[in-house]
Amino acid sequence: MNIHSMAKIDAAELKRILAAALKAVKGAFRNLLTLPYAKQYLIATPFLILFFIIVTFPLEVLVKNGLHKLEGSAFRSIQSGEMSIGLFRDWEIESLSITTNGRSDISFSGVECDFSTFGLFAKAIDGDFSIGQFRYVTDTVTSACSLRDGKSKITLDSAQNIPNGGKLSFTLTDIALKGITARGFNIPPIKAGTVKASFLFSPRLMTISEGTITGKDLSGKIRGTISIDQNFQRSQLNITCDIDANSALLSDYRIILGSFINQEKNTLPITITGPLYDPSVSFASGAPGGAPGMLPPKGGTDAPDAPAIPVRRR
């Protein structure tokens, strides 16, 4: 028997084996269709496979890629730690560090969100959130706090991905600020107990609808707006903090700051203006009715006069 004859026999045997296997599969398939609900299961199979792929897809990869696409445009650099992104809700981010084009550093840790993942694809941020630790550092200023009770219901511009409507609220705790200067005056490190804030969004504008500072060292109100730009560094602050003149933090500076006090409201207005990555802080002009160089007594404007407390040199 030559080689060609052997090849013909092997080919014929292979065809026979394949035909038998195909016949067996067809028979098994016919028997399968006789089972209860077999046709329904057969129709549902591709949809179940697609659902399994979606459920097990690593959404963290998409989120990290989306963040890193902002590098070089909105931000200078972005570094992210471990993430757990739920298909429907429940986001957890171990850490996130951002360096702006103005070389300011913003960092988050212990972030928990109840945002709707599908809502984000529909250009909406809707849900609750909290941040274990937030830090904002520039060449001169360092700030840190924790955020809780965060609630957002924000719609995003489809073209620029910036808020164009909705509302946002949260509470800041364990607040620490240092390195702030105003008109050449070095403001001492600040520790505030709690800040409660609410915001309303309109196209390219974020308005503070409620801002309250409470604490042993510092208390007051916050008002103003933040203009929003797709480029982070172009967003502009126009905020005024009306600090209660009886706050303990001001007690050592009653002579120096007295001329800036609004005697009618018994507050020290401090303005924060300029780009978000590098704002400037200054005291607003003193209001009529205040004696230059003197703060009101600690008991308020109606309290008996108290001797001025000398400025403590630092």
Side-chain angles (χ1 to χ4, degrees), residues 11 18 37 81 85 94 102 107 111 114 124 150 163 170 173 209 235 242 248 263 275 305-306:
L18 291 176
Y37 306 106
I85 308 298
E94 181 183 53
S107 62
V111 180
D114 187 33
F170 53 76
T173 60
S209 57
S235 297
D242 295 311
Q263 296 293 332
D305 292 340

PDB file of all heavy atoms in Angstrom, residues 11 18 37 81 85 94 102 107 111 114 124 150 163 170 173 209 235 242 248 263 275 305-306:
ATOM      1  N   ALA A  11      -8.245   9.946   5.615  1.00  0.00           N
ATOM      2  CA  ALA A  11      -9.209  11.010   5.371  1.00  0.00           C
ATOM      3  C   ALA A  11     -10.630  10.475   5.489  1.00  0.00           C
ATOM      4  O   ALA A  11     -11.514  11.117   6.068  1.00  0.00           O
ATOM      5  CB  ALA A  11      -8.972  11.620   3.985  1.00  0.00           C
ATOM      6  N   LEU A  18     -15.980  12.386  12.281  1.00  0.00           N
ATOM      7  CA  LEU A  18     -16.635  13.699  12.398  1.00  0.00           C
ATOM      8  C   LEU A  18     -18.126  13.597  12.167  1.00  0.00           C
ATOM      9  O   LEU A  18     -18.928  14.254  12.841  1.00  0.00           O
ATOM     10  CB  LEU A  18     -16.004  14.672  11.402  1.00  0.00           C
ATOM     11  CG  LEU A  18     -14.559  15.097  11.691  1.00  0.00           C
ATOM     12  CD1 LEU A  18     -14.018  15.982  10.570  1.00  0.00           C
ATOM     13  CD2 LEU A  18     -14.489  15.831  13.023  1.00  0.00           C
ATOM     14  N   TYR A  37     -38.942  23.827  29.507  1.00  0.00           N
ATOM     15  CA  TYR A  37     -38.367  25.183  29.436  1.00  0.00           C
ATOM     16  C   TYR A  37     -37.008  25.232  28.706  1.00  0.00           C
ATOM     17  O   TYR A  37     -36.265  26.203  28.827  1.00  0.00           O
ATOM     18  CB  TYR A  37     -38.177  25.797  30.828  1.00  0.00           C
ATOM     19  CG  TYR A  37     -39.433  25.806  31.653  1.00  0.00           C
ATOM     20  CD1 TYR A  37     -39.583  24.923  32.714  1.00  0.00           C
ATOM     21  CD2 TYR A  37     -40.478  26.692  31.359  1.00  0.00           C
ATOM     22  CE1 TYR A  37     -40.744  24.915  33.468  1.00  0.00           C
ATOM     23  CE2 TYR A  37     -41.651  26.674  32.110  1.00  0.00           C
ATOM     24  CZ  TYR A  37     -41.777  25.793  33.169  1.00  0.00           C
ATOM     25  OH  TYR A  37     -42.910  25.786  33.909  1.00  0.00           O
ATOM     26  N   GLY A  81      -4.834  55.027  44.052  1.00  0.00           N
ATOM     27  CA  GLY A  81      -4.572  53.769  44.745  1.00  0.00           C
ATOM     28  C   GLY A  81      -5.612  52.731  44.379  1.00  0.00           C
ATOM     29  O   GLY A  81      -6.228  52.781  43.313  1.00  0.00           O
ATOM     30  N   ILE A  85     -15.133  49.610  42.268  1.00  0.00           N
ATOM     31  CA  ILE A  85     -16.237  50.309  41.633  1.00  0.00           C
ATOM     32  C   ILE A  85     -17.375  49.325  41.403  1.00  0.00           C
ATOM     33  O   ILE A  85     -17.236  48.362  40.638  1.00  0.00           O
ATOM     34  CB  ILE A  85     -15.811  50.941  40.291  1.00  0.00           C
ATOM     35  CG1 ILE A  85     -14.553  51.787  40.483  1.00  0.00           C
ATOM     36  CG2 ILE A  85     -16.942  51.758  39.700  1.00  0.00           C
ATOM     37  CD1 ILE A  85     -14.710  52.941  41.420  1.00  0.00           C
ATOM     38  N   GLU A  94      -9.280  53.953  47.786  1.00  0.00           N
ATOM     39  CA  GLU A  94      -8.319  53.970  48.888  1.00  0.00           C
ATOM     40  C   GLU A  94      -7.593  55.315  48.968  1.00  0.00           C
ATOM     41  O   GLU A  94      -7.478  55.907  50.030  1.00  0.00           O
ATOM     42  CB  GLU A  94      -7.309  52.850  48.709  1.00  0.00           C
ATOM     43  CG  GLU A  94      -6.280  52.756  49.820  1.00  0.00           C
ATOM     44  CD  GLU A  94      -5.251  51.678  49.549  1.00  0.00           C
ATOM     45  OE1 GLU A  94      -4.645  51.705  48.455  1.00  0.00           O
ATOM     46  OE2 GLU A  94      -5.060  50.818  50.414  1.00  0.00           O
ATOM     47  N   GLY A 102      -1.006  74.436  38.520  1.00  0.00           N
ATOM     48  CA  GLY A 102      -0.385  75.456  39.345  1.00  0.00           C
ATOM     49  C   GLY A 102       0.487  74.872  40.436  1.00  0.00           C
ATOM     50  O   GLY A 102       0.923  75.576  41.344  1.00  0.00           O
ATOM     51  N   SER A 107      -5.244  65.769  47.738  1.00  0.00           N
ATOM     52  CA  SER A 107      -5.255  64.335  47.993  1.00  0.00           C
ATOM     53  C   SER A 107      -6.503  63.928  48.767  1.00  0.00           C
ATOM     54  O   SER A 107      -7.013  64.683  49.593  1.00  0.00           O
ATOM     55  CB  SER A 107      -3.995  63.914  48.767  1.00  0.00           C
ATOM     56  OG  SER A 107      -3.946  64.538  50.033  1.00  0.00           O
ATOM     57  N   VAL A 111     -12.199  57.226  50.530  1.00  0.00           N
ATOM     58  CA  VAL A 111     -13.376  57.759  49.855  1.00  0.00           C
ATOM     59  C   VAL A 111     -14.425  56.662  49.688  1.00  0.00           C
ATOM     60  O   VAL A 111     -14.127  55.576  49.186  1.00  0.00           O
ATOM     61  CB  VAL A 111     -13.003  58.342  48.471  1.00  0.00           C
ATOM     62  CG1 VAL A 111     -14.236  58.898  47.777  1.00  0.00           C
ATOM     63  CG2 VAL A 111     -11.938  59.413  48.618  1.00  0.00           C
ATOM     64  N   ASP A 114     -21.818  56.418  47.074  1.00  0.00           N
ATOM     65  CA  ASP A 114     -22.990  55.639  46.702  1.00  0.00           C
ATOM     66  C   ASP A 114     -23.538  56.183  45.384  1.00  0.00           C
ATOM     67  O   ASP A 114     -24.737  56.297  45.194  1.00  0.00           O
ATOM     68  CB  ASP A 114     -24.048  55.720  47.821  1.00  0.00           C
ATOM     69  CG  ASP A 114     -25.220  54.787  47.563  1.00  0.00           C
ATOM     70  OD1 ASP A 114     -24.998  53.715  46.982  1.00  0.00           O
ATOM     71  OD2 ASP A 114     -26.363  55.141  47.908  1.00  0.00           O
ATOM     72  N   ALA A 124     -24.531  62.312  35.078  1.00  0.00           N
ATOM     73  CA  ALA A 124     -25.184  62.725  36.324  1.00  0.00           C
ATOM     74  C   ALA A 124     -24.425  62.136  37.503  1.00  0.00           C
ATOM     75  O   ALA A 124     -23.982  60.986  37.464  1.00  0.00           O
ATOM     76  CB  ALA A 124     -26.639  62.265  36.357  1.00  0.00           C
ATOM     77  N   GLY A 150     -22.085  63.764  52.815  1.00  0.00           N
ATOM     78  CA  GLY A 150     -22.106  64.366  51.487  1.00  0.00           C
ATOM     79  C   GLY A 150     -23.276  63.863  50.666  1.00  0.00           C
ATOM     80  O   GLY A 150     -23.557  62.662  50.634  1.00  0.00           O
ATOM     81  N   PRO A 163     -20.243  70.683  35.838  1.00  0.00           N
ATOM     82  CA  PRO A 163     -21.621  70.816  36.308  1.00  0.00           C
ATOM     83  C   PRO A 163     -22.365  71.967  35.624  1.00  0.00           C
ATOM     84  O   PRO A 163     -21.810  73.044  35.435  1.00  0.00           O
ATOM     85  CB  PRO A 163     -21.453  71.094  37.811  1.00  0.00           C
ATOM     86  CG  PRO A 163     -20.122  70.500  38.156  1.00  0.00           C
ATOM     87  CD  PRO A 163     -19.266  70.731  36.951  1.00  0.00           C
ATOM     88  N   PHE A 170     -22.551  69.024  52.150  1.00  0.00           N
ATOM     89  CA  PHE A 170     -21.664  68.173  52.945  1.00  0.00           C
ATOM     90  C   PHE A 170     -21.325  68.874  54.248  1.00  0.00           C
ATOM     91  O   PHE A 170     -21.596  70.066  54.435  1.00  0.00           O
ATOM     92  CB  PHE A 170     -20.382  67.813  52.178  1.00  0.00           C
ATOM     93  CG  PHE A 170     -19.637  68.997  51.620  1.00  0.00           C
ATOM     94  CD1 PHE A 170     -18.873  69.817  52.437  1.00  0.00           C
ATOM     95  CD2 PHE A 170     -19.704  69.286  50.269  1.00  0.00           C
ATOM     96  CE1 PHE A 170     -18.184  70.908  51.929  1.00  0.00           C
ATOM     97  CE2 PHE A 170     -19.017  70.374  49.739  1.00  0.00           C
ATOM     98  CZ  PHE A 170     -18.263  71.180  50.570  1.00  0.00           C
ATOM     99  N   THR A 173     -15.352  68.271  58.982  1.00  0.00           N
ATOM    100  CA  THR A 173     -14.958  68.179  60.393  1.00  0.00           C
ATOM    101  C   THR A 173     -13.437  68.089  60.493  1.00  0.00           C
ATOM    102  O   THR A 173     -12.750  67.852  59.504  1.00  0.00           O
ATOM    103  CB  THR A 173     -15.587  66.934  61.054  1.00  0.00           C
ATOM    104  OG1 THR A 173     -15.142  65.756  60.363  1.00  0.00           O
ATOM    105  CG2 THR A 173     -17.113  67.000  60.999  1.00  0.00           C
ATOM    106  N   SER A 209     -25.209  78.358  48.857  1.00  0.00           N
ATOM    107  CA  SER A 209     -26.535  78.684  49.378  1.00  0.00           C
ATOM    108  C   SER A 209     -26.568  78.656  50.900  1.00  0.00           C
ATOM    109  O   SER A 209     -27.392  79.313  51.527  1.00  0.00           O
ATOM    110  CB  SER A 209     -27.579  77.704  48.821  1.00  0.00           C
ATOM    111  OG  SER A 209     -27.229  76.361  49.129  1.00  0.00           O
ATOM    112  N   SER A 235     -10.787  78.086  37.143  1.00  0.00           N
ATOM    113  CA  SER A 235     -11.942  78.324  38.011  1.00  0.00           C
ATOM    114  C   SER A 235     -11.611  79.424  39.007  1.00  0.00           C
ATOM    115  O   SER A 235     -10.513  79.461  39.564  1.00  0.00           O
ATOM    116  CB  SER A 235     -12.326  77.037  38.748  1.00  0.00           C
ATOM    117  OG  SER A 235     -12.725  76.040  37.828  1.00  0.00           O
ATOM    118  N   ASP A 242     -17.601  85.660  56.814  1.00  0.00           N
ATOM    119  CA  ASP A 242     -17.938  86.619  57.866  1.00  0.00           C
ATOM    120  C   ASP A 242     -17.677  85.954  59.214  1.00  0.00           C
ATOM    121  O   ASP A 242     -18.520  85.232  59.744  1.00  0.00           O
ATOM    122  CB  ASP A 242     -19.402  87.051  57.748  1.00  0.00           C
ATOM    123  CG  ASP A 242     -19.669  87.827  56.462  1.00  0.00           C
ATOM    124  OD1 ASP A 242     -18.906  88.761  56.175  1.00  0.00           O
ATOM    125  OD2 ASP A 242     -20.642  87.496  55.751  1.00  0.00           O
ATOM    126  N   ALA A 248     -12.594  82.956  69.539  1.00  0.00           N
ATOM    127  CA  ALA A 248     -11.392  82.901  70.375  1.00  0.00           C
ATOM    128  C   ALA A 248     -10.123  83.126  69.560  1.00  0.00           C
ATOM    129  O   ALA A 248      -9.132  83.663  70.065  1.00  0.00           O
ATOM    130  CB  ALA A 248     -11.331  81.546  71.087  1.00  0.00           C
ATOM    131  N   GLN A 263     -19.097  96.592  62.611  1.00  0.00           N
ATOM    132  CA  GLN A 263     -19.671  96.720  63.949  1.00  0.00           C
ATOM    133  C   GLN A 263     -21.164  96.400  63.983  1.00  0.00           C
ATOM    134  O   GLN A 263     -21.669  95.912  64.994  1.00  0.00           O
ATOM    135  CB  GLN A 263     -19.431  98.135  64.474  1.00  0.00           C
ATOM    136  CG  GLN A 263     -17.958  98.494  64.684  1.00  0.00           C
ATOM    137  CD  GLN A 263     -17.326  97.684  65.805  1.00  0.00           C
ATOM    138  OE1 GLN A 263     -18.008  97.269  66.726  1.00  0.00           O
ATOM    139  NE2 GLN A 263     -16.027  97.455  65.702  1.00  0.00           N
ATOM    140  N   PRO A 275      -7.841  82.500  41.332  1.00  0.00           N
ATOM    141  CA  PRO A 275      -7.953  81.134  40.813  1.00  0.00           C
ATOM    142  C   PRO A 275      -7.994  80.106  41.927  1.00  0.00           C
ATOM    143  O   PRO A 275      -7.386  80.283  42.978  1.00  0.00           O
ATOM    144  CB  PRO A 275      -6.694  80.976  39.948  1.00  0.00           C
ATOM    145  CG  PRO A 275      -5.738  81.988  40.483  1.00  0.00           C
ATOM    146  CD  PRO A 275      -6.566  83.146  40.939  1.00  0.00           C
ATOM    147  N   ASP A 305     -17.256  97.632  78.161  1.00  0.00           N
ATOM    148  CA  ASP A 305     -15.940  97.764  77.547  1.00  0.00           C
ATOM    149  C   ASP A 305     -14.928  96.908  78.292  1.00  0.00           C
ATOM    150  O   ASP A 305     -14.940  96.805  79.512  1.00  0.00           O
ATOM    151  CB  ASP A 305     -15.469  99.232  77.558  1.00  0.00           C
ATOM    152  CG  ASP A 305     -16.310 100.078  76.628  1.00  0.00           C
ATOM    153  OD1 ASP A 305     -16.959  99.495  75.741  1.00  0.00           O
ATOM    154  OD2 ASP A 305     -16.329 101.312  76.805  1.00  0.00           O
ATOM    155  N   ALA A 306     -14.043  96.292  77.510  1.00  0.00           N
ATOM    156  CA  ALA A 306     -12.980  95.479  78.105  1.00  0.00           C
ATOM    157  C   ALA A 306     -11.655  96.009  77.595  1.00  0.00           C
ATOM    158  O   ALA A 306     -11.555  96.515  76.480  1.00  0.00           O
ATOM    159  CB  ALA A 306     -13.153  94.005  77.708  1.00  0.00           C
TER     160      ALA A 306
END
